[in-house]
Amino acid sequence: MKFAKSSLCLALLSGLSFNALAEVDIYGKANVTVQSSDDGEGSFTEIKSNASRFGLKGSEKISDGLEAVYKFEFQVDVSDADSKGDKDNISARNQYVGFKGSFGQVVIGRNDTALKQAQGKLDLFNDLEGDIKNTFKGENRLGNSVSYASNSYEGFKVLASFIAEDDKDAKNGYSVALTYGDAGLKKSAVYAAVAADSEVNGYDVVRATVQGKIEDFRLGAMYQTQEKVDGSAEADGYLVNAAYLMGSNTFKVQYQTMDFDDSDDKSAVSVGVDHKLNKNLKVFGFYSSFDMDNNVDQDYLGLGMEYKF
């Protein structure tokens, strides 16, 4: 039976035209670290998969100025997968379908909120222990979403997300952002954004982001206020970071802090270096330390590699 199903799949694939297959862009990356971790109860050694992923994306022209677009992206845990199948090592990331044209792009499905997208590439330790999601609220990727992104006008873009309540006792969520410049700092020397969440994943958030480059230096900052929708917890905080490019190496440092009204403050400092072996492959090292007022402190020291395809 398995052989028959495999034969049928091969027959169907062989019947597809080359042009149809060529419209599919297959991509991904593997990011793995070996690290010494201390969550407050003693250090231990672990191997971590840091948002390793693969995906398919593409588009199809419908008429002049209008395209259908799609993306199906999956996260793969390449370190904790159980050979017996007891642990799921594949989970959903951004997955949507929609339209793109002179009006911008509108997609429906699971997607990063406008506020999360507006972060750009500010977070120098994204997907690692020093990721800003471990200090700041608002890093949401949600289903039941309708997302809009305008085309660029004089460097400005508008982003918006609508998150359906999906429950009679819940409320619809909204996320909006205004950005300026190129998040990769390749087409502009400055990237800036202001964004806000309302009733998104239990929080209201307002965030301002700016990043710029001066020769081989990149400097960034973020300010954020956040509040639980029930009013039970308020906090405000900021992030500052710097990166210096020296040949194939990037040296980076990042500090972030969040001050809560109940004095349960949280701060983190991270330092690291990336070494590029080629366009798609790098090795890196990092150290992150978290200072928790009312909880145990945490420390992480790691070495890793990332390969993009």
Side-chain angles (χ1 to χ4, degrees), residues 127-162:
D127 295 330
L128 300 177
E129 302 294 349
D131 192 310
I132 67 170
K133 70 182 179 183
N134 296 316
T135 307
F136 291 68
K137 296 296 182 180
E139 296 296 289
N140 295 306
R141 176 183 300 115
L142 300 173
N144 302 308
S145 300
V146 180
S147 303
Y148 170 73
S150 74
N151 293 326
S152 178
Y153 179 75
E154 300 292 335
F156 290 94
K157 287 185 179 181
V158 174
L159 308 174
S161 305
F162 167 77

Side-chain angles (χ1 to χ4, degrees), residues 82-118:
D82 191 318
S83 61
K84 297 181 180 180
D86 294 334
K87 295 181 180 179
D88 292 332
N89 70 322
I90 297 179
S91 56
R93 288 178 60 86
N94 292 337
Q95 300 175 348
Y96 54 71
V97 64
F99 295 100
K100 181 179 181 180
S102 58
F103 54 86
Q105 178 173 283
V106 177
V107 296
I108 302 173
R110 180 186 302 275
N111 201 13
D112 293 341
T113 62
L115 183 136
K116 185 177 189 296
Q117 293 181 54

Side-chain angles (χ1 to χ4, degrees), residues 66-230:
L66 184 62
E67 297 177 74
V69 297
Y70 68 90
K71 174 185 280 190
F72 295 96
E73 187 172 288
F74 302 86
Q75 183 162 311
V76 183
D77 192 329
V78 301
S79 65
D80 285 341
D82 191 318
S83 61
K84 297 181 180 180
D86 294 334
K87 295 181 180 179
D88 292 332
N89 70 322
I90 297 179
S91 56
R93 288 178 60 86
N94 292 337
Q95 300 175 348
Y96 54 71
V97 64
F99 295 100
K100 181 179 181 180
S102 58
F103 54 86
Q105 178 173 283
V106 177
V107 296
I108 302 173
R110 180 186 302 275
N111 201 13
D112 293 341
T113 62
L115 183 136
K116 185 177 189 296
Q117 293 181 54
Q119 175 202 142
K121 297 183 181 297
L122 175 75
D123 189 357
L124 299 180
F125 294 86
N126 187 48
D127 295 330
L128 300 177
E129 302 294 349
D131 192 310
I132 67 170
K133 70 182 179 183
N134 296 316
T135 307
F136 291 68
K137 296 296 182 180
E139 296 296 289
N140 295 306
R141 176 183 300 115
L142 300 173
N144 302 308
S145 300
V146 180
S147 303
Y148 170 73
S150 74
N151 293 326
S152 178
Y153 179 75
E154 300 292 335
F156 290 94
K157 287 185 179 181
V158 174
L159 308 174
S161 305
F162 167 77
I163 301 95
E165 56 190 9
D166 199 36
D167 189 297
K168 65 181 179 62
D169 296 321
K171 294 184 179 180
N172 294 328
Y174 303 89
S175 182
V176 295
L178 176 65
T179 72
Y180 172 78
D182 170 34
L185 298 179
K186 295 180 180 179
K187 298 180 181 179
S188 64
V190 174
Y191 174 78
V194 291
D197 278 356
S198 175
E199 301 275 357
V200 176
N201 204 19
Y203 278 85
D204 296 332
V205 178
V206 177
R207 173 185 290 181
T209 302
V210 63
Q211 187 177 31
K213 63 180 180 180
I214 304 173
E215 295 183 347
D216 293 327
F217 284 94
R218 293 193 177 193
L219 305 173
M222 174 186 288
Y223 175 76
Q224 175 165 311
T225 63
Q226 60 189 48
E227 180 182 3
K228 277 190 174 182
V229 295
D230 62 6

